[in-house]
Amino acid sequence: MLWRSTQESNESYEIRKQTFKTYNRVLRNSVNLAKKNYYHKQFQIFRNDIRRTWMTIINRSGNKKEYPDQFLFDGETVSDKNLIAEEFNKYFTSVGSKQSEKIVVPGNKSFTDYLRTPTLYAFHFKAIDDQEIVRIIDSLKSKSSYGHDRISNKLLKYVKYEIAKPLKLLVNQSVECGIFPSNLKDARVIPIYKKDNEQNFSNYRPISLLPSISKIYERILYNQIYQHFTNHELFYPSQYGFRKLHSTEYAALELVNRLTIDMDNSRVPINIYLDLSKAFDTIDHTILLHKLSYYGFKNKAHDLMTSYLTNRSQYVEFQDIKSSSHITCGVPQGSILGPLLFIIYIKEL
């Protein structure tokens, strides 16, 4: 730098110093203006996508949390990465079952008491063609993240025409046999810090990364299940979450409308709000599969959903260290089918 290499006794020292400060100020202003214009453009692009908006805010704030050097385990601090990875996985896979044990089931009631008249419409999965595989791959977000197979959505898009036919054969074979491939049921889990003491395993949430190919399978199953429930009006009318063309705004409008009607008719409205803890993790497979049967899933369709839900596993990846795989319960986090199965599960509630 010319100014810093100039002696203070030199008559040009002050001139070069002021010149440097001027250019430095111009550069900072230019960089700040460029950032402002860039993020303004990004927020405009994602104005209807709240998830991408928040991702942009987080990236802008630069507050990505690094893992601490030590974690608390049995009252002591541990720094061994292998042990930390194993304990993370034990915590994530056991939290659902531990929460389920706390659920009190009334002795004189069964969930079947609320299932009175089974649907008359039988449901069977249909075979698909190459074009549907290509359409589904095109609909996937172009992400670079990957599951245990290290195949990303972005990579699938590059080879979609080459893999469409073999994938079609595999999917149709699964539908015909009622078996979901076991290799697509293993999730790669990354712990993400939430809040409070960063050394406690309970203050982290799991981000599950499933194999990208499993998302193709799931999207095919999702589309056919969703169409079945829509065509036969099997969804609860006031279920606004996890449904196409529905949103929290519609839920709020219905609430306000009901309150207004009650007050206009001199009735006192009462609202009950429930916060479900570990909702996806505590789903009982026996109840869910019984309800799928109740809603028309027969033979191989029911077998396929049983295969999809059971014997799932996950491992935690912590700073490039992989834990062993553990069997999980509930419905898969980060899956396409998970939210749909959840609203089917709670429909009678």
Side-chain angles (χ1 to χ4, degrees):
M1 186 186 297
L2 186 60
W3 161 54
R4 293 191 184 279
S5 64
T6 304
Q7 296 291 330
E8 289 189 36
S9 58
N10 193 309
E11 60 182 14
S12 61
Y13 177 82
E14 286 298 329
I15 297 175
R16 289 175 177 176
K17 181 179 179 180
Q18 292 303 319
T19 302
F20 167 78
K21 289 184 176 180
T22 300
Y23 278 107
N24 190 40
R25 184 170 60 253
V26 171
L27 176 62
R28 287 201 311 269
N29 291 339
S30 298
V31 170
N32 289 336
L33 180 61
K35 286 182 177 180
K36 179 181 177 181
N37 291 336
Y38 170 78
Y39 284 109
H40 177 75
K41 184 178 179 181
Q42 291 297 103
F43 288 132
Q44 287 297 314
I45 294 173
F46 303 138
R47 63 182 181 272
N48 295 321
D49 189 336
I50 192 64
R51 181 172 177 273
R52 296 292 295 274
T53 297
W54 274 111
M55 286 176 63
T56 304
I57 293 173
I58 292 170
N59 291 335
R60 174 65 184 91
S61 62
N63 60 351
K64 184 178 179 181
K65 190 73 177 177
E66 297 293 333
Y67 293 117
D69 295 328
Q70 296 178 323
F71 281 81
L72 293 173
F73 174 59
D74 284 346
E76 299 181 359
T77 56
V78 294
S79 57
D80 184 278
K81 292 182 180 179
N82 290 286
L83 178 59
I84 292 172
E86 290 294 337
E87 290 307 315
F88 259 126
N89 204 28
K90 286 180 183 177
Y91 172 74
F92 289 148
T93 53
S94 64
V95 66
S97 57
K98 288 181 179 178
Q99 195 74 15
S100 296
E101 292 171 0
K102 299 178 183 179
I103 298 174
V104 179
V105 180
N108 61 341
K109 278 286 184 182
S110 168
F111 71 92
T112 56
D113 294 337
Y114 302 94
L115 305 175
R116 296 183 176 86
T117 307
T119 181
L120 300 176
Y121 310 103
F123 174 77
H124 304 281
F125 287 111
K126 300 173 184 176
I128 51 123
D129 55 25
D130 303 12
Q131 289 73 27
E132 185 167 357
I133 295 289
V134 172
R135 283 196 299 271
I136 289 174
I137 293 177
D138 284 336
S139 71
L140 297 174
K141 294 181 179 178
S142 298
K143 292 183 176 181
S144 300
S145 55
Y146 52 83
H148 67 82
D149 58 0
R150 306 187 71 83
I151 298 175
S152 65
N153 292 356
K154 189 176 289 186
L155 177 58
L156 287 181
K157 288 177 181 284
Y158 284 124
V159 296
K160 59 186 177 184
Y161 295 113
E162 288 78 10
I163 66 173
K165 189 166 185 176
L167 263 181
K168 175 202 71 174
L169 294 173
L170 290 171
V171 172
N172 287 341
Q173 190 173 30
S174 287
V175 169
E176 185 178 345
C177 299
I179 299 173
F180 193 88
S182 58
N183 199 38
L184 300 183
K185 297 193 287 186
D186 193 16
R188 170 179 172 241
V189 176
I190 309 296
I192 301 295
Y193 174 73
K194 292 188 299 183
K195 60 179 181 178
D196 299 334
N197 190 344
E198 61 183 13
Q199 293 184 321
N200 285 344
F201 296 111
S202 60
N203 292 331
Y204 290 76
R205 62 186 177 91
I207 297 297
S208 296
L209 299 172
L210 295 165
S212 293
I213 292 176
S214 76
K215 296 175 183 177
I216 299 174
Y217 270 76
E218 288 193 44
R219 178 55 65 184
I220 292 166
L221 304 184
Y222 177 99
N223 290 343
Q224 296 189 27
I225 295 172
Y226 195 94
Q227 186 177 27
H228 172 72
F229 273 77
T230 302
N231 290 348
H232 302 302
E233 299 181 344
L234 298 175
F235 285 122
Y236 181 61
S238 294
Q239 174 63 48
Y240 292 104
F242 306 129
R243 291 182 63 191
K244 299 174 185 176
L245 305 178
H246 290 69
S247 67
T248 51
E249 286 88 348
Y250 290 139
L253 284 172
E254 180 176 335
L255 174 62
V256 171
N257 184 55
R258 289 190 182 192
L259 294 175
T260 304
I261 291 173
D262 279 347
M263 289 187 289
D264 286 345
N265 289 280
S266 300
R267 293 195 296 263
V268 179
I270 298 176
N271 299 302
I272 299 175
Y273 298 91
L274 302 178
D275 183 10
L276 304 180
S277 178
K278 303 297 179 185
F280 281 26
D281 294 319
T282 54
I283 286 179
D284 187 309
H285 289 171
T286 302
I287 295 176
L288 177 57
L289 290 169
H290 185 96
K291 293 191 73 172
L292 290 175
S293 177
Y294 175 83
Y295 287 118
F297 285 64
K298 306 297 181 186
N299 304 321
K300 295 302 180 182
H302 195 271
D303 292 343
L304 182 56
M305 295 309 299
T306 303
S307 176
Y308 170 79
L309 287 168
T310 55
N311 296 320
R312 302 192 70 92
S313 60
Q314 70 174 47
Y315 68 89
V316 165
E317 189 170 302
F318 174 78
Q319 294 184 341
D320 298 326
I321 300 296
K322 296 179 181 179
S323 72
S324 56
S325 291
H326 285 190
I327 301 297
T328 62
C329 61
V331 297
Q333 298 284 349
S335 66
I336 291 174
L337 272 173
L340 177 58
L341 294 176
F342 175 73
I343 63 174
I344 293 172
Y345 185 77
I346 66 166
K347 177 177 179 291
E348 281 64 36
L349 178 64

